[in-house]
């Protein structure tokens, strides 16, 4: 599928998809005419990236999650992220009390 169809399927805008390609998070094939061709796996990766970014994972964490072959490594990344979220929640709770 082309970038417009991949955008519709993944919920991302084409500009974001191009950026993800530029930084190496997704590598669609190129047709002889130079157009991008996104496979189902590419769209799956884009959906994953979209959801991970909504959950505020960094691009580096997304890269590590996509390339990790170890479930222990994935758990470590998720646990570290959860600790950061809990820290932010505690800070926001203190802010609420102060206000």
């Amino acid at each position: 599928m082309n970038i417009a169809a991949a955008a519709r399927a993944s919920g991302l805008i084409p500009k974001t998809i191009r950026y993800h390609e530029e930084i190496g998070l997704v590598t669609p094939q190129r047709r002889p005419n130079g157009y991008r061709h996104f496979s189902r796996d590419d769209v799956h990766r884009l959906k994953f990236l979209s959801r991970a970014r909504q959950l505020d994972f960094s691009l580096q964490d997304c890269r590590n999650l996509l390339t990790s072959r170890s479930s222990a490594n994935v758990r470590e990344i998720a646990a570290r992220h959860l600790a950061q979220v809990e820290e932010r929640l505690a800070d926001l709770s203190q802010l609420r009390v102060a206000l």
Side-chain angles (χ1 to χ4, degrees):
M1 70 182 73
N2 64 20
I3 195 166
R8 281 191 302 277
S10 67
L12 295 171
I13 61 173
K15 184 175 182 177
T16 300
I17 294 172
R18 286 186 201 99
Y19 178 70
H20 287 327
E21 180 185 10
E22 181 182 316
I23 63 173
L25 292 175
V26 66
T27 52
Q29 295 178 359
R30 292 286 181 154
R31 297 285 187 187
N33 61 9
Y35 290 174
R36 294 169 182 86
H37 174 74
F38 292 88
S39 67
R40 289 182 189 193
D41 286 342
D42 292 327
V43 172
H44 181 74
R45 287 173 71 92
L46 290 169
K47 286 180 181 180
F48 173 83
L49 288 167
S50 176
R51 185 66 179 140
R53 295 296 290 150
Q54 287 173 355
L55 294 172
D56 207 27
F57 279 90
S58 69
L59 288 173
Q60 186 58 47
D61 282 344
C62 289
R63 181 182 312 281
N64 293 339
L65 289 168
L66 286 169
T67 59
S68 180
R69 298 287 182 232
S70 162
S71 60
N73 190 28
V74 169
R75 280 193 300 274
E76 176 195 333
I77 293 166
R80 185 177 63 241
H81 186 67
L82 180 59
Q84 291 169 349
V85 168
E86 288 173 346
E87 184 178 321
R88 279 187 275 171
L89 284 171
D91 290 345
L92 289 171
S93 290
Q94 289 177 355
L95 179 60
R96 172 182 250 176
V97 169
L99 293 174

